Amino acid sequence: NAGVMQNPRHLVRRRGQEARLRCSPMKGHSHVYWYRQLPEEGLKFMVYLQKENIIDESGMPKERFSAEFPKEGPSILRIQQVVRGDSAAYFCASSLTGYEQFFGPGTRLTVL
Amino acid sequence: TQLLEQSPQFLSIQEGENLTVYCNSSSVFSSLQWYRQEPGEGPVLLVTVVTGGEVKKLKRLTFQFGDARKDSSLHITAAQPGDTGLYLCAGTGDSNDYKLSFGAGTTVTVRA
């Protein structure tokens, strides 16, 4: 039973480019969460999605960041016009009921 | 955002010793989860506790949720080098709020 999958594992972007991070939840899980772990900081909630719906985006920066979880395919976290401060590890988690969350291995984004 | 404070921040012990990690908050949590994270990987769920006063045992690990659901502890008996890692506690607010608030973590090192 495959766990949460994220790709790419490492992503390097230059300032001003776009970053697309993908997350495939565990089989049967319809709840997806994105978290960000900045260097020397703890994990911070960004957004909570269910299929085709954003449930809670209270942790998302207001500009340049967006997330989706389409009916088919993985969840996507999109960062437009990246800046150096976006460099971080981005983790996706999925849940069957919304309760216990299982995390993927993360995408390490480096902005040059 | 609900704040979780973990203590100690760092813990280094000899193989065979016992250790306890604490997680405290001024807020009430509907559930509390403990994770372990290895460098370069995502957090791995160890346990979820939901009932005040609940105690769960997982081999050499014992987890306790405070009666008031504001604090928790993780106790490891006879620690082994394989227990080395970053231990994170995370809680959810009310029963309809699924986003996790994380503590900063306790880095545990078990020396052989």
Side-chain angles (χ1 to χ4, degrees):
Chain A
N1 197 12
V4 177
M5 298 175 68
Q6 290 187 248
N7 67 82
R9 292 292 306 272
H10 299 274
L11 183 61
V12 178
R13 284 287 177 268
R14 296 191 180 279
R15 281 179 295 168
Q17 291 184 319
E18 179 180 286
R20 280 185 175 239
L21 287 61
R22 294 174 184 76
C23 168
S24 296
M26 288 178 70
K27 188 176 181 180
H29 286 193
S30 60
H31 302 253
V32 166
Y33 310 80
W34 287 92
Y35 293 82
R36 178 165 66 173
Q37 191 170 37
L38 291 164
E40 307 304 322
E41 292 189 22
L43 281 150
K44 303 283 189 218
F45 166 80
M46 298 181 75
V47 63
Y48 164 32
L49 311 104
Q50 291 183 27
K51 284 287 188 182
E52 299 185 278
N53 287 304
I54 296 174
I55 308 300
D56 183 345
E57 55 182 347
S58 59
M60 286 273 272
K62 295 288 181 245
E63 297 179 353
R64 302 187 297 108
F65 285 73
S66 62
E68 62 177 8
F69 188 17
K71 189 176 180 181
E72 301 290 339
S75 175
I76 306 284
L77 179 68
R78 182 182 177 208
I79 311 172
Q80 295 178 289
Q81 299 176 316
V82 295
V83 300
R84 288 219 173 104
D86 296 333
S87 294
Y90 291 83
F91 292 97
C92 166
S94 75
S95 177
L96 182 63
T97 61
Y99 226 9
E100 294 184 322
Q101 295 180 26
F102 297 88
F103 282 76
T107 294
R108 270 99 188 137
L109 173 65
T110 301
V111 179
L112 301 177
Chain B
T1 303
Q2 295 169 293
L3 293 175
L4 280 164
E5 293 187 1
Q6 286 189 241
S7 61
Q9 188 176 357
F10 299 97
L11 193 54
S12 179
I13 60 169
Q14 201 69 33
E15 181 177 5
E17 294 182 335
N18 302 332
L19 69 95
T20 303
V21 176
Y22 299 93
C23 178
N24 295 290
S25 176
S26 57
S27 304
V28 174
F29 289 92
S30 61
S31 74
L32 198 132
Q33 302 178 22
W34 283 93
Y35 292 86
R36 189 172 84 188
Q37 185 177 21
E38 306 276 347
E41 298 295 331
V44 174
L45 180 64
L46 297 174
V47 77
T48 299
V49 286
V50 300
T51 305
E54 184 176 2
V55 177
K56 279 192 175 178
K57 292 194 175 185
L58 206 68
K59 297 184 181 178
R60 294 178 295 101
L61 277 60
T62 301
F63 304 86
Q64 188 162 5
F65 201 13
D67 290 341
R69 292 187 287 128
K70 292 182 178 182
D71 57 272
S72 181
S73 64
L74 157 61
H75 182 80
I76 301 179
T77 304
Q80 299 174 359
D83 296 324
T84 293
L86 176 66
Y87 288 83
L88 298 162
C89 66
T92 55
D94 62 51
S95 57
N96 293 320
D97 182 7
Y98 296 127
K99 60 180 179 280
L100 289 172
S101 296
F102 277 86
T106 295
T107 300
V108 171
T109 304
V110 182
R111 305 184 304 274

